[in-house]
Amino acid sequence: MLVAVLTFAGSLLVALLTVTLVHRVVSRIGRRSALFAGLARHAHRPALAMAVLVAVQFSLGVVARGDWRPVALHATGIALILAGAWLLAALLVVIEDATLARIRVDVSDNRHARRVHTQITLVRRVTVVVVGVLAAATVLMTFPAARAAGTSLLASAGVIGAIAALAAQSLLGNVFAGVQIAFSDALRLDDVVVVENQWGRVEDITLTYVVVHLWDDRRLILPTAYFLKTPFENWTRTQSALLGTVELDLDWTVPVEELRQELRHALETSDLWDGRVCVLQVTDAVGSFVRVRALVSASDAGRLWDLRCVAREHLVGWLRARHPGALPQVRVRELPRAAATAPVRAANGSSDNRVFGESADGEERVQAFSGPEQSTPAPPR
């Protein structure tokens, strides 16, 4: 009994000391390397569990005797499989984090970087799920009854697969949609989108849902299949730079050229403008107003929104201060009262008020529209 206790304690101590020593070395190297820093942060606990379970299984295999020994070895083996899956998943996460750290997204044109980030994030989730499923299957295969059942289930795998697919149709559809989104480049992390008449930024993409961070700090959570079935606006699909409009309904007396020059002056003094587009046009002139549209550009959606507000405020203030008559106004004019006399035919016999007759052209229209002439019967004698 004493030998068994000493063997168990000695193997456990060796395992703990080995893991602790390796962890300190990796942590020291991690001060200069992001990969080793990730290993020290994510792999320490699963490695510690793995080492302890190996020590326990070694001790049971060497000194354990009795009927409980097979049960203990079986339980330790199951725990060892789960710890190994935990360690493998942690190593995959470390590798994926190291890959993401090499790809910078804090640059002006980060479209490719955001695409890679989206793909790696979804691949990470897929790999973790696959490792978990394989670990569960391996644990089940350690039971003889489960192995026998697995052999018989292979014959009816098609029926079971059809039933499972029917039962989890929505879930599987979202999972496949998430994988398709990751590799189709239709949607990426940090993309600016308009969905459900809401403007926001893609904050997270999972295998089953997408989180959109709205402009007012709300979160809109949509299933991944939504983005394959429903049209949506992606403002950063090819680039982050955008165009925006500022429309004003003004009076007909507005000085368009001066307003155009003032728009350029306002944009040149703003750090929100990217210097690409500055256009002012009259796009409509119907009724009591003329519609003036200013087209401006910015490097991203947030700057564009602020730039449109700044340009609108500046133009309104300039018109109010310099040209108040150009602001929208409705004119009411009192017409002179008509004389209460009967209409009198012009003395010169003018025929400008008749279409048929009274002129050569009018006589031609009379002949053309009155039909063929009919002979008039002679009066009786």
Side-chain angles (χ1 to χ4, degrees):
M1 182 65 179
L2 181 61
V3 176
V5 173
L6 291 177
T7 303
F8 177 78
S11 59
L12 188 62
L13 182 61
V14 170
L16 293 176
L17 289 177
T18 302
V19 173
T20 303
L21 180 62
V22 173
H23 176 65
R24 290 189 176 184
V25 173
V26 172
S27 299
R28 186 177 297 273
I29 300 175
R31 298 174 183 176
R32 301 182 298 271
S33 172
L35 177 61
F36 283 89
L39 282 173
R41 184 170 58 255
H42 294 287
H44 174 58
R45 291 182 179 180
L48 185 62
M50 188 84 174
V52 170
L53 290 171
V54 169
V56 171
Q57 191 175 42
F58 173 77
S59 301
L60 291 174
V62 172
V63 299
R65 297 291 184 272
D67 297 336
W68 57 272
R69 180 174 178 271
V71 177
L73 287 175
H74 187 203
T76 307
I78 293 176
L80 196 60
I81 292 173
L82 297 178
W86 185 15
L87 180 60
L88 179 59
L91 292 177
L92 292 175
V93 169
V94 169
I95 295 173
E96 291 158 357
D97 286 341
T99 306
L100 290 176
R102 295 176 177 271
I103 304 173
R104 298 182 55 186
V105 295
D106 56 344
V107 294
S108 58
D109 188 9
N110 59 357
R111 182 172 60 90
H112 177 69
R114 289 188 291 109
R115 177 184 180 182
V116 175
H117 270 248
T118 303
Q119 293 176 349
I120 292 179
T121 301
L122 288 178
V123 167
R124 169 193 294 178
R125 292 185 169 95
V126 171
T127 54
V128 171
V129 170
V130 170
V131 169
V133 171
L134 292 178
T138 305
V139 169
L140 290 177
M141 295 302 291
T142 60
F143 295 92
R147 285 199 299 268
T151 304
S152 61
L153 286 176
L154 289 177
S156 57
V159 177
I160 294 177
I163 296 175
L166 183 61
Q169 182 178 3
S170 178
L171 176 62
L172 292 177
N174 286 324
V175 170
F176 291 138
V179 175
Q180 186 174 351
I181 286 175
F183 292 95
S184 65
D185 204 24
L187 191 69
R188 299 175 297 264
L189 292 173
D190 289 332
D191 268 347
V192 178
V193 296
V194 177
V195 290
E196 298 292 322
N197 295 324
Q198 300 286 342
W199 169 56
R201 180 180 58 84
V202 177
E203 185 178 56
D204 192 15
I205 301 178
T206 69
L207 290 177
T208 55
Y209 62 89
V210 176
V211 180
V212 180
H213 182 185
L214 301 182
W215 65 274
D216 55 358
D217 284 341
R218 291 180 297 157
R219 265 65 175 182
L220 182 64
I221 301 176
L222 299 168
T224 51
Y226 172 90
F227 293 90
L228 298 182
K229 299 178 181 178
T230 308
F232 65 96
E233 296 183 24
N234 189 339
W235 288 6
T236 53
R237 173 66 174 77
T238 56
Q239 60 180 359
S240 59
L242 296 170
L243 301 181
T245 60
V246 175
E247 292 188 332
L248 302 173
D249 287 336
L250 302 173
D251 190 73
W252 286 69
T253 60
V254 57
V256 178
E257 185 58 35
E258 294 182 26
L259 189 64
R260 184 177 292 119
Q261 295 176 3
E262 189 62 26
L263 173 66
R264 177 165 289 277
H265 173 70
L267 296 185
E268 289 177 348
T269 57
S270 175
D271 58 347
L272 301 173
W273 187 46
D274 62 358
R276 292 189 301 122
V277 178
C278 173
V279 175
L280 188 139
Q281 296 173 315
V282 177
T283 58
D284 202 358
V286 177
S288 303
F289 309 108
V290 295
R291 176 160 296 178
V292 177
R293 186 185 71 177
L295 189 64
V296 298
S297 63
S299 58
D300 55 60
R303 287 175 173 266
L304 179 64
W305 173 264
D306 290 336
L307 181 62
R308 292 171 60 196
C309 295
V310 168
R312 187 181 296 110
E313 294 174 6
H314 184 89
L315 293 180
V316 169
W318 181 81
L319 287 170
R320 189 173 59 246
R322 299 291 184 87
H323 297 276
L327 297 177
Q329 53 185 313
V330 178
R331 296 179 176 84
V332 179
R333 178 179 298 177
E334 185 177 356
L335 299 177
R337 186 172 300 176
T341 57
V344 180
R345 183 180 176 85
N348 57 3
S350 174
S351 60
D352 293 340
N353 62 343
R354 298 188 62 177
V355 177
F356 296 93
E358 298 297 333
S359 65
D361 185 65
E363 293 295 339
E364 291 182 4
R365 275 193 287 273
V366 170
Q367 297 297 327
F369 288 94
S370 61
E373 295 183 356
Q374 297 180 358
S375 58
T376 302
R381 295 181 180 179

